[in-house]
Structures are given as structure tokens and as C-alpha cells.
Amino acid sequence: MFNILYIWLDQFCVRYADFTWDVSPAMLEARLKSGLDPKIAHKVIHVPNALFPGQIHSLPISERLPNSLVYMGILDRDQGSDLAIESLQLVIRKIPDAVLHIVGGAKDDVDRLRKLVARLELQKRVIFYGFVPDNNEMAKIVRGCMIGLAPYRSFPDSFRWYGDAGKIRQYLASGLPVVTTPVPPLGRYVVEKEAAVMAQDTIKDFSGEIIKLLLDKELYKKMSEHAKELSKENTWENTYTSTLKKMEEQS
């Protein structure tokens, strides 16, 4: 019943508002599948999330922490924080000095994952930073690592299939190649642009892609360059300037 109400309200807003801003193109696809009249689809504008200029900066590969992985963002199961930790178990069998840096999360979520880390005996291989309120400080931690992890889980009822992925945007802005799953629309786009690799949301497959990327130096270098190229114009100023121009053109 809640879903029916939500879809009705959403379509009401699209029909009677001058414009609707969507953070992901997948949202319009979902609307059309749920019955939105294609004749009013032009009122929906893709307005991607962005970053502040201070967040868009990368380090030379030689200055990044060797074999370091980073997970940044909310620590819920939909986003795969558990999978990131569980995959580390297999990664260190091939790359013993690998370390996972986890940035973000409320205290309860961090405590839950600390228990998982202890159960897997990975205390020396996982570093928790908790929630970092300053965007530039958060970006500084991320850019010091080698690979950004976006292990979204393929739960059928997850809204992540339709949303944006802020963590991927920050990884790219830091020049980090990304390991992701088929879930986030942005992840699929970044894979096409050769700045990310895609894995299924299983421990074996996800860890395998991490290992492959860490061991293949040429592939890593190429994907890092693609990441920087994709993110250099991804600022809030550019996003809003482009959006307001589209609105003016369609008015």
C-alpha cells in the first residue's frame, strides 16, 4: 500500500510540477515502467550529484598507500559494507599486506562491523574512521588509497538500483579505479568508461576483481587516468549551471 501511494504521489508531482530533478536516469526508466505517460517525460531532468572543488584531487600512484582499499559511505547491508570486509579475507591470501579503510557510518553500524572484523580476525587489516564531517578531510583519506569499493548488494527490493552513488563519484574524483556490482546505474556507466570493473556481489567474485586490479599495474594505471578524466568537471556549479540552462531551454 505504501508503494502504491508513493508511485501515485510521485507521478502527481511529475505531472503538475514544471520540472522534476532526478539524480539518476534510472529513475525515469522506473517511472515509465510504473505507468508514467511518456508524453510528460520531458519534464524530468537528470541532475547528477556532484562534488566541491576541494574534493576533486588525486595523488600520483607512487604516493598512494600500497594495496590499500577504501569503502566510504553508509554502512548498511544494501551498500555492501559487510561484503567489503568479507572479501578482504580472500584478498589477503594473495596480497598479505592489503588493508581496508572504512570511512563513514554511525556508531551502531561501526560497532556491528567491528564485531564482524573480530570474528574474521582482521583487526590488523581494517581501519575505521567513523563519520568524517569535513568533505575535504574525507576526500584526503580516500585519495591516499588505491582502490574504491562500491559493493552494492543485488537485493531485488533495494532502491539502490535507481539512485546515484556518491561514493563512486568521490573515488573517481580521487583518481581511484572502482570495483562495483551491477546495481548502481553510475557504476554501470563507469565500467563502460573503463574506470571501474564489475563483479557479482559474492565474496569470491568481488575479491577476485580486487586482486586482479591490484596485481595488474598497467590496467590500474589506465583506469586511474580514466577516473580522473571522468570526474574533473563533476562540480556542483557545473551541475546546476547545466540544469538551469536545460530548464530555460524547455520553458
Side-chain angles (χ1 to χ4, degrees):
M1 290 298 294
F2 179 80
N3 200 46
I4 291 171
L5 177 61
Y6 176 87
I7 291 173
W8 177 86
L9 182 60
D10 180 75
Q11 294 198 8
F12 178 88
C13 292
V14 174
R15 183 176 298 277
Y16 294 106
D18 293 324
F19 294 99
T20 299
W21 289 10
D22 285 357
V23 294
S24 166
M27 296 175 70
L28 178 56
E29 296 172 16
R31 284 196 181 95
L32 293 171
K33 288 180 181 177
S34 64
L36 178 70
D37 185 349
K39 294 178 181 178
I40 61 172
H42 68 280
K43 301 174 72 173
V44 176
I45 299 178
H46 178 212
V47 186
N49 285 316
L51 302 168
F52 297 104
Q55 295 175 258
I56 304 176
H57 176 63
S58 63
L59 294 176
I61 294 174
S62 60
E63 295 182 20
R64 301 175 191 177
L65 296 169
N67 298 324
S68 55
L69 314 172
V70 61
Y71 173 99
M72 183 212 77
I74 298 171
L75 304 183
D76 63 17
R77 289 179 172 84
D78 272 21
Q79 295 206 34
S81 54
D82 303 67
L83 178 59
I85 293 170
E86 291 163 343
S87 296
L88 181 64
Q89 254 196 323
L90 297 188
V91 172
I92 61 177
R93 294 181 186 178
K94 291 284 187 179
I95 307 172
D97 63 342
V99 175
L100 172 61
H101 300 253
I102 298 181
V103 184
K107 183 179 183 302
D108 288 348
D109 292 320
V110 172
D111 289 345
R112 176 178 63 81
L113 291 183
R114 284 189 186 278
K115 291 177 182 178
L116 175 60
V117 167
R119 180 163 59 82
L120 299 178
E121 299 181 350
L122 294 172
Q123 294 94 322
K124 295 182 179 180
R125 291 281 163 250
V126 180
I127 299 172
F128 289 94
Y129 295 84
F131 175 67
V132 180
D134 185 276
N135 287 321
N136 291 334
E137 284 300 312
M138 174 269 296
K140 183 178 179 181
I141 297 169
V142 173
R143 75 172 64 104
C145 298
M146 293 285 291
I147 294 177
L149 304 184
Y152 293 89
R153 305 307 302 270
S154 300
F155 300 148
D157 59 348
S158 174
F159 64 86
R160 308 293 178 188
W161 294 97
Y162 307 105
D164 195 41
K167 59 168 54 63
I168 293 180
R169 292 188 182 278
Q170 182 58 71
Y171 298 155
L172 298 176
S174 303
L176 272 56
V178 180
V179 180
T180 187
T181 67
V183 176
L186 178 61
R188 299 194 292 271
Y189 172 77
V190 174
V191 169
E192 291 176 5
K193 297 299 182 180
E194 299 184 317
V197 294
M198 185 174 291
Q200 297 304 311
D201 66 334
T202 65
I203 298 172
K204 181 178 180 181
D205 201 45
F206 201 81
S207 62
E209 293 299 329
I210 294 172
I211 293 167
K212 181 165 55 177
L213 191 50
L214 284 175
L215 295 180
D216 191 332
K217 304 303 181 185
E218 286 303 313
L219 176 62
Y220 181 90
K221 181 179 178 181
K222 181 180 74 172
M223 293 183 68
S224 180
E225 291 300 320
H226 290 166
K228 289 186 284 187
E229 184 64 26
L230 276 177
S231 65
K232 65 182 182 181
E233 303 297 333
N234 187 207
T235 65
W236 286 112
E237 182 177 357
N238 288 340
T239 288
Y240 289 131
T241 299
S242 173
T243 300
L244 294 173
K245 183 179 179 180
K246 290 177 184 176
M247 292 172 62
E248 184 178 353
E249 290 172 350
Q250 296 180 28
S251 295

